[in-house]
Amino acid sequence: MAVSLFRSSGALNRLLMIGSGLALSLHVQGVQAADMEIMQPINITAQRQSEGSASTLRSGASLEDSPRSVSIITAEQIAERPGPGGIQSLLAELPGIEFARSGGLGGQLVMRGFNSNDGRSILAIDGDRYRGRTTLEFNMLDPNSIERIEVIRGPASALYGSDAMNGVINIVTRRSMVDVDQPFELQPHIRALEWGSGSEMFGGRVELVGGGNGFDVMIGAHQREAQDYSTPIGTVDNSSYRMRGLDFNIGYSPTPLSRWELSGRYENVTSNRGGGLGAAPGAELLQVSERPIIERYLRLAYSGQEFGAFADSLDASLYVRDFETDIYQVNNKTAGITAKTHLKVYTPTEIGGHLTALKTLGDHQLSYGGDFYLEDFEGRLSNNTRYDKGTGVQLSDSGWNKMERDTSQTSIGLFATDTWTLNDRWVLSGAVRSDWIESKIGSALPTESPAQSAAFDDSRVKRYHAYTGSLGAVYKLTPNWHLFGNFSRSFRAPSGQAMVSTSVSGTITTLPNADLDDETSLTTELGVRWYGLDSHMSLTAYQSDYDNLIALVVLDKDLRQQQNISKAQMRGLELEGKVGLDDRWSMNYAATYTRGTDKSSGEPLPNIAPLTGRLSLRYQQDDWYGEAAVRAYKGKTRIDKTQERASASYAMVDAYAGMNLGRVLGSGWEDWQVTVGVENLFNKVGRNPVVAQDINYSDNLVGNSLVEPGRSAVIKLTVNY
């Protein structure tokens, strides 16, 4: 495997040379500072502790001792980064992750070559899974409500079960850090204000924060609104958005070692797609909008410590979430006809939770527990009308029809992990998990055709049982240099919706398939890390082999069906790190090489960015900083010619500066920080290689594939308390 992984293109060899050169540079610095301290390890725990943590690792191990590829986006990084979109752009600064944009706000993430819409990665909120909106889930998150973001790049089914084949993104939400023993008091605060010129974006967040008498309270409200964004070649029509929301986190600590938490949120988002997934080739020919997406969420959680022989700490939760989405589509692709579709997706309802225990036994850090979810999905409702383009006269109206059968899915998983510090050099890790999933399919619909009904073949109940696991090790070659490796098995059970989905595009019908099997993957990861004083580096090589991938198969010229047909392979390199050049200057870097192949056909997997990178140079004073960053994308020439074109290379420069307002306004403003910047400083044209397009239409259209935003001035005011 290792030989095949490192055999291939010149681009891969160049990236290896870059990584080796940076590593050598860092090593030289380490020799020159032989007596320096090693960077302090970052602990990620299984329970929400006093700082409000929630873990993706589900163990008590530090990042330094984990063989997985894990990154943390801190509260400071979130507060500093302005911009008109959501968290996608911030996550795209990490290696192995790309932003597949569909509008000013909307889009998906591509993790290790696969789009999050495919359901092969997981989004979690405070350690609990966020299901129900793989296409739209990242549109629903206000960055200013987040304390930090924890990211596992690579397989994590041994921790999270089905779907965690390519990674996990865990959002840790903000909570009040008040002394709960003080007298009860609440105070209003401005948390953040933002503005961006490229889309006339304005947004902000306010909070009511405080507590006392055992309570900690945070209640927040946010709004962000933007018009269609501009690019160097024109405005992207139908790319505007508006998001509004309320959230709260109320904790009660009956003892110093325990805490109950009630949290919830309401989101109302209007998101217009200027292109990308589901909206290519763009608004001139296809206009898609969600008006609105509504989410309601309520969660009860408990965390405590000192449970004797059973556990040192315990973390549990129970949550319920539901969605309502109205989707509007205007299709002008057919000559002389305008087709309008209104979809009501008032579903699913999710109920879930988890229980995790952490126990230290000598040199072992054990974590064990389980999680579950219940998902009820009601078939979507659609109304289709057709109009004459010339006269505007309505030609037909389908009325409201149910598109697919109802389904429900129940999932129960049990897991255990162990991190064993064998000696000063070796740290061994292992995880094992068992999942039971049952999907039930509802009764036939009156509108089903005989072929659609026959496709179910009386398969009304589908059950999956999977064992997954991982084995890993960290070898500390020196205090500065660590080698690591990990081998994992992951799986993905198809959702109930995937099995019953029935749609018609023109005259082509997609049949349901109630006999889909689960997908599986085997992944090997090898890498090296370097730790120093204000410097670090990580280089990871991986290969993932997928079996039973679900793909859309052409049965005949008028019929298609989702089937388990393909084997696929994804290979990659991920480099990230920081170099402290001196007391004031530092450099951050990240680079990713990705190569995907459909092993059944030998053809490339589509919409993969072959080589990307980000390099930033920062000058930091005590109360102000300046930073310049270059983000670069190599054009793709190795493509799936049935659904994508070759793309051009491009690079964009961003410049930022930030200052603590106490420097100029006095000590009463020390908690206030302002960041100003210009993104895409030189107004370069860029089309991200991972964004979907429609090759039946010209690639000169702004939305095919969707052009990235042009030059934009941005400003952000953040208040820390």
Side-chain angles (χ1 to χ4, degrees), residues 290-312:
E290 292 84 33
R291 303 196 309 267
I293 318 164
I294 294 175
E295 175 200 356
R296 291 175 287 258
Y297 173 61
L298 188 65
R299 177 179 185 263
L300 179 65
Y302 169 81
S303 60
Q305 302 179 45
E306 296 186 7
F307 291 89
F310 173 67
D312 297 331

Side-chain angles (χ1 to χ4, degrees), residues 33-45:
D35 296 328
M36 70 180 164
E37 299 178 20
I38 302 300
M39 187 177 70
Q40 293 299 311
I42 302 173
N43 289 307
I44 303 296
T45 57

Side-chain angles (χ1 to χ4, degrees), residues 192-306:
L193 294 172
E194 297 182 77
W195 173 81
S197 68
S199 59
E200 300 180 23
M201 181 275 293
F202 180 78
R205 176 178 172 85
V206 294
E207 295 176 339
L208 188 63
V209 182
N213 298 333
F215 288 91
D216 58 86
V217 178
M218 175 170 288
I219 302 172
H222 67 87
Q223 176 167 327
R224 181 177 297 191
E225 189 166 348
Q227 304 305 310
D228 293 341
Y229 74 83
S230 61
T231 79
I233 61 174
T235 299
V236 178
D237 294 332
N238 196 53
S239 62
S240 62
Y241 65 85
R242 185 186 69 188
M243 60 187 306
R244 297 173 178 175
L246 297 169
D247 57 82
F248 65 89
N249 189 317
I250 302 173
Y252 176 66
S253 302
T255 71
L257 299 179
S258 63
R259 180 176 180 270
W260 290 88
E261 177 182 288
L262 182 66
S263 59
R265 63 190 211 141
Y266 172 84
E267 295 291 335
N268 186 308
V269 177
T270 295
S271 178
N272 297 315
R273 302 193 210 180
L277 186 67
E284 294 181 15
L285 294 163
L286 183 61
Q287 181 172 306
V288 180
S289 304
E290 292 84 33
R291 303 196 309 267
I293 318 164
I294 294 175
E295 175 200 356
R296 291 175 287 258
Y297 173 61
L298 188 65
R299 177 179 185 263
L300 179 65
Y302 169 81
S303 60
Q305 302 179 45
E306 296 186 7

Side-chain angles (χ1 to χ4, degrees), residues 16 174 183 199 237 575 577 649 665 669:
L16 280 170
R174 284 172 52 77
S199 59
D237 294 332
L575 172 70
S649 302
L665 299 179
W669 295 83

Side-chain angles (χ1 to χ4, degrees), residues 362-378:
D363 296 328
H364 294 263
Q365 295 186 44
L366 303 173
S367 177
Y368 58 94
D371 50 49
F372 79 98
Y373 68 81
L374 309 173
E375 180 177 81
D376 283 324
F377 177 83
E378 297 179 1

Side-chain angles (χ1 to χ4, degrees), residues 459-474:
S459 299
R460 299 282 297 279
V461 179
K462 183 73 173 180
R463 295 183 176 91
Y464 305 90
H465 181 208
Y467 291 104
T468 53
S470 65
L471 290 173
V474 175

